[in-house]
Amino acid sequence: MNFSNLATDYDGTLAEDGGVAKATVRALEAFRRSGRSIILVTGRELAQLLEIFDRTDLFDWIVAENGALLYHPATRRKRLLTEPAPRHFVEELKRRGVSRISTGEAVVATWRPHENIVLEVIRELGLERQITFNKDAVMVLPIGVDKGSGLDAAVKEMKLSWKNVAGIGDAENDIAFLSKCACSVAVSNALDSVKARVDFTTSAARGEGVVELIHEILKDDLQSRLLMQREAPMATTFSNPRS
């Protein structure tokens, strides 16, 4: 069993408009029944996710807040992987007219076109924070915290090898974890910048693309995909797996 773990984004990948189709849920269930594991890697705050999706039992671990929070659905145990969001930062953003601010345990998020004001406040307050984009979403976290660092924490918890992890996503913030996976995949609705960085792109979009990938893994552990790439000299090859 080469690819024994699937790391997947939520919005725009598993989900469309916040919801996950029944066919996608069935595919995730089949993946789990095969003895494999699934890690959800999402930019959403945990409370938001638990409110809109009642099948978190499908995941061995959930990486939430774009890498800042680790959650174990089976035990409901959570662990903050970085320092909490600074209150004075949020208050200053509000004072400057930034609307639609969402604050998690560590992440502070808003929307374009407020990124310039966010950057100004970060500089003026002397905060060690970075901005990460997720399409129109603007997320602020401590430097070095992203989906890649969060997935790394989950992989260590599960004592997995990166060479057994396949990852799938759709947006800029997914590149941080996809680049760590032995096989990286974009759904067909993914941004072009993501498609350019992965091993291959599914023919279907969102949840149907995840179903497509799961079927390929369950069918032959992506061996057909490997063979296609060997026969096409110009095609990209799978990422060098980490030990």
Side-chain angles (χ1 to χ4, degrees):
M1 190 185 294
N2 236 355
F3 294 105
S4 58
N5 179 269
L6 175 66
T8 176
D9 169 51
Y10 189 75
D11 292 285
T13 303
L14 274 183
E16 182 174 6
D17 297 326
V20 180
K22 291 181 180 179
T24 306
V25 170
R26 288 195 295 270
L28 294 173
E29 291 172 336
F31 196 83
R32 290 293 301 268
R33 286 197 301 270
S34 73
R36 294 172 169 87
S37 57
I38 309 171
I39 301 173
L40 180 67
V41 191
T42 178
R44 280 188 181 265
E45 295 164 27
L46 182 61
Q48 293 175 339
L49 179 70
L50 296 177
E51 185 176 339
I52 64 172
F53 188 53
D54 62 1
R55 290 304 311 275
T56 56
D57 60 294
L58 292 168
F59 309 118
D60 294 78
W61 287 89
I62 295 174
V63 177
E65 295 195 22
N66 211 63
L69 186 70
L70 195 58
Y71 177 71
H72 190 232
T75 61
R76 297 183 181 179
R77 175 169 59 91
K78 63 181 179 179
R79 175 161 62 96
L80 192 61
L81 301 175
T82 186
E83 59 191 47
R87 291 184 180 179
H88 66 296
F89 173 61
V90 178
E91 291 169 358
E92 183 61 20
L93 290 177
K94 291 179 179 177
R95 192 184 72 80
R96 299 197 188 192
V98 176
S99 59
R100 298 177 64 194
I101 300 173
S102 178
T103 306
E105 295 195 30
V107 71
V108 176
T110 184
W111 299 87
R112 295 181 190 266
H114 296 302
E115 63 269 24
N116 291 331
I117 297 176
V118 171
L119 186 57
E120 286 175 8
V121 174
I122 289 172
R123 288 173 175 168
E124 290 177 16
L125 295 181
L127 300 175
E128 293 187 352
R129 291 293 188 278
Q130 65 187 15
I131 292 177
T132 301
F133 292 102
N134 179 9
K135 297 181 180 177
D136 288 332
V138 179
M139 295 177 290
V140 182
L141 282 163
I143 294 172
V145 176
D146 56 29
K147 285 190 173 185
S149 65
L151 181 56
D152 191 49
V155 166
K156 288 176 181 176
E157 285 279 356
M158 297 176 68
K159 296 180 173 57
L160 294 174
S161 169
W162 279 103
K163 67 183 180 181
N164 300 124
V165 181
I168 186 166
D170 76 305
E172 309 100 312
N173 61 327
D174 295 325
I175 294 173
F177 86 86
L178 292 175
S179 63
K180 290 175 173 282
C181 298
C183 176
S184 57
V185 184
V187 283
S188 67
N189 57 288
L191 299 177
D192 288 341
S193 59
V194 178
K195 293 178 181 179
R197 299 281 295 274
V198 298
D199 295 309
F200 67 90
T201 299
T202 62
S203 59
R206 301 177 181 83
E208 291 182 2
V210 177
V211 172
E212 181 182 325
L213 173 60
I214 287 175
H215 284 172
E216 287 195 38
I217 293 175
L218 295 181
K219 177 185 176 182
D220 63 4
D221 218 18
L222 294 180
Q223 291 307 302
S224 296
R225 181 72 64 171
L226 281 166
L227 182 60
M228 286 171 57
Q229 292 191 334
R230 290 194 192 104
E231 293 175 347
M234 296 303 292
T236 54
T237 56
F238 283 2
S239 309
N240 290 327
R242 291 177 47 168
S243 59

